[in-house]
């Protein structure tokens, strides 16, 4: 855990107090370590002196909700310890299953933690079901909700939780986190990952794992030169593959967005307006991509067109 001392101070002050709030909302951009914080905080919450504690993944008093595997084949990959694709949402059935478990007492001590990673992915029915537990939490049960986009959550959810904000890390902190997690990276990939990280170690690591260096160079060229002959947009398919999977698509959108952010500090006011518009469209695209089944080729063309629209020769979209 790097760079979140204030969050730990807030959590531990509450933990040592007489009455601890039952709902915690861990808010900040994706990749800052909120889920890792939630797991470590939950381990502190349920620990009992003199009682051996199992690993977090096997702890009976730490319940974690995430989207399930997308299908049976993906579930088998998960069971085999391989990377797997997930469903887009956390379902109401998953919330209700957790609520059934909350009718019993914690196993190893008086406290139990429920981690939802992430609350942004709760389907509508799941949010409504969760509200009942947040309004009348079982004794000894504490909720830690990871939220990448706080504004997407209902005000009724936000109002029932204490909000802990996770701010972007410094460049030095991101570099330290990346070097710890991926010491094998070559300098070119490492530097490119740091350039698009935007204070998020997770974003830097995703960029490095997806090998997006060539794509990022094309993103930069699109902004700097435009793409009147479509050559750069055509090159994106070669850099990202004809059918990139969902994780690669999302990493590419984030890399494109951060390329725009970096360019904002290097251009005149007229170009800033074009970049701001492209950034807004990329943010919307990032929100839609996990929900809608976009054709990969069309998605790459859309990313390229958004960046080209911010170039010196404006293209109307």
């Amino acid at each position: 855990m790097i760079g979140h001392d204030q969050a730990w101070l807030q959590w531990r002050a509450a933990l040592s107090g007489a009455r601890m709030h039952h709902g915690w909302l861990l808010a900040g951009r994706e990749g800052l370590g909120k889920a890792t914080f939630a797991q470590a905080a939950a381990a502190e919450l349920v620990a009992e002196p003199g009682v051996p504690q199992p690993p977090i993944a096997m702890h009976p008093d730490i319940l974690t909700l995430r989207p399930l595997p997308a299908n049976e084949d993906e579930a088998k990959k998960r069971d085999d310890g391989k990377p797997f694709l997930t469903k887009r949402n956390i379902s109401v059935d998953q919330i209700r299953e957790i609520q059934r478990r909350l009718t019993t007492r914690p196993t190893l001590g008086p406290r139990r933690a429920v981690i939802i990673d992430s609350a942004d992915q709760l389907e509508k029915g799941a949010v409504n079901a969760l509200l009942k537990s947040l309004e009348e939490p079982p004794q000894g049960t504490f909720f830690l909700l990871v939220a990448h986009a706080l504004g997407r959550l209902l005000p009724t959810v936000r109002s029932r939780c204490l909000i802990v904000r996770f701010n972007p890390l410094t460049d030095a902190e991101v570099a330290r986190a990346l070097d710890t997690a991926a010491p094998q990276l070559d300098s070119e990939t490492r530097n490119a990952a740091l350039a698009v990280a935007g204070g998020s170690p997770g974003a830097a690591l995703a960029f490095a794992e997806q090998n997006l260096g060539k794509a990022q160079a094309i993103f930069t060229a699109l902004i700097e030169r435009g793409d009147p002959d479509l050559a750069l947009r055509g090159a994106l398919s070669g850099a990202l593959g004809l059918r990139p999977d969902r994780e690669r698509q999302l990493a590419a959108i984030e890399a494109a967005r951060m390329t725009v952010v970096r360019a904002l500090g290097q251009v005149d006011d007229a170009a800033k307006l074009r970049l701001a518009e492209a950034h807004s469209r990329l943010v919307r695209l990032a929100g839609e991509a996990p929900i809608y089944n976009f054709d990969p080729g069309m998605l790459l063309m859309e990313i390229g067109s958004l960046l080209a629209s911010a170039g010196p020769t404006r293209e109307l979209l």
Side-chain angles (χ1 to χ4, degrees):
M1 294 296 293
I2 297 173
H4 300 308
D5 294 343
Q6 189 59 43
W8 279 116
L9 285 173
Q10 188 174 348
W11 173 260
R12 286 169 178 157
L15 194 59
S16 62
R19 293 189 63 184
M20 186 170 178
H21 200 280
H22 68 277
W24 292 75
L25 193 50
L26 313 180
R29 65 165 296 194
E30 191 168 2
L32 292 177
K34 302 184 300 297
T36 303
F37 177 95
Q39 293 178 335
E44 289 189 358
L45 175 78
V46 303
E48 284 292 303
V51 179
Q53 301 291 312
I56 293 173
M58 302 172 60
H59 203 296
D61 296 328
I62 299 177
L63 311 178
T64 302
L65 272 182
R66 298 187 181 94
L68 296 171
N71 51 48
E72 291 184 2
D73 289 339
E74 299 302 322
K76 187 175 186 305
K77 292 179 184 177
R78 177 199 59 186
D79 296 341
D80 292 340
K82 299 176 181 178
F84 62 95
L85 296 177
T86 66
K87 295 182 179 180
R88 291 180 169 86
N89 298 109
I90 296 172
S91 70
V92 63
D93 290 338
Q94 289 178 266
I95 293 291
R96 288 173 177 160
E97 175 58 28
I98 286 291
Q99 289 171 329
R100 284 191 285 270
R101 295 183 64 177
L102 298 183
T103 59
T104 63
R105 294 182 178 180
T107 302
L108 300 180
R111 291 175 168 177
R112 172 191 283 131
V114 178
I115 300 171
I116 300 181
D117 181 19
S118 69
D120 310 65
Q121 295 172 293
L122 290 165
E123 62 183 26
K124 184 176 180 180
V127 174
N128 293 331
L130 175 64
L131 274 173
K132 296 178 181 178
S133 294
L134 289 175
E135 290 168 351
E136 299 179 8
Q139 185 174 357
T141 297
F142 298 83
F143 294 87
L144 293 96
L145 280 61
V146 175
H148 307 314
L150 194 57
R152 293 181 189 170
L153 297 182
L154 292 176
T156 46
V157 173
R158 300 198 300 266
S159 67
R160 285 162 175 76
C161 298
L162 286 176
I163 298 176
V164 181
R165 296 187 182 275
F166 287 71
N167 297 316
L169 276 60
T170 66
D171 290 346
E173 288 171 335
V174 174
R176 183 154 56 97
L178 186 60
D179 291 342
T180 299
Q184 77 284 358
L185 293 179
D186 60 76
S187 60
E188 182 179 4
T189 302
R190 177 184 181 276
N191 292 337
L194 293 175
V196 302
S200 168
L205 189 58
F207 179 94
E209 289 177 342
Q210 293 290 349
N211 192 22
L212 294 176
K214 290 182 179 179
Q216 198 269 337
I218 296 172
F219 294 157
T220 300
L222 282 163
I223 292 173
E224 292 178 348
R225 307 201 304 263
D227 191 26
D229 60 359
L230 302 182
L232 290 172
R233 274 167 279 193
L236 272 180
S237 294
L240 289 168
L242 293 177
R243 301 197 65 81
D245 62 26
R246 193 197 315 166
E247 294 303 318
R248 190 164 174 80
Q249 292 173 25
L250 294 175
I253 296 171
E254 179 62 10
R257 187 186 73 81
M258 288 308 304
T259 303
V260 171
V261 170
R262 284 177 60 83
L264 277 166
Q266 305 168 7
V267 296
D268 58 25
D269 288 344
K272 278 186 170 68
L273 290 175
R274 298 196 298 268
L275 286 167
E277 183 178 345
H279 183 270
S280 176
R281 299 279 292 274
L282 285 166
V283 169
R284 184 171 22 172
L285 189 62
E288 293 171 347
I291 301 171
Y292 302 110
N293 189 26
F294 290 132
D295 176 80
M298 294 300 295
L299 180 65
L300 295 184
M301 182 61 70
E302 177 69 5
I303 294 171
S305 296
L306 288 173
L307 295 176
S309 73
T313 303
R314 180 169 175 75
E315 298 182 22
L316 298 179
L317 299 178

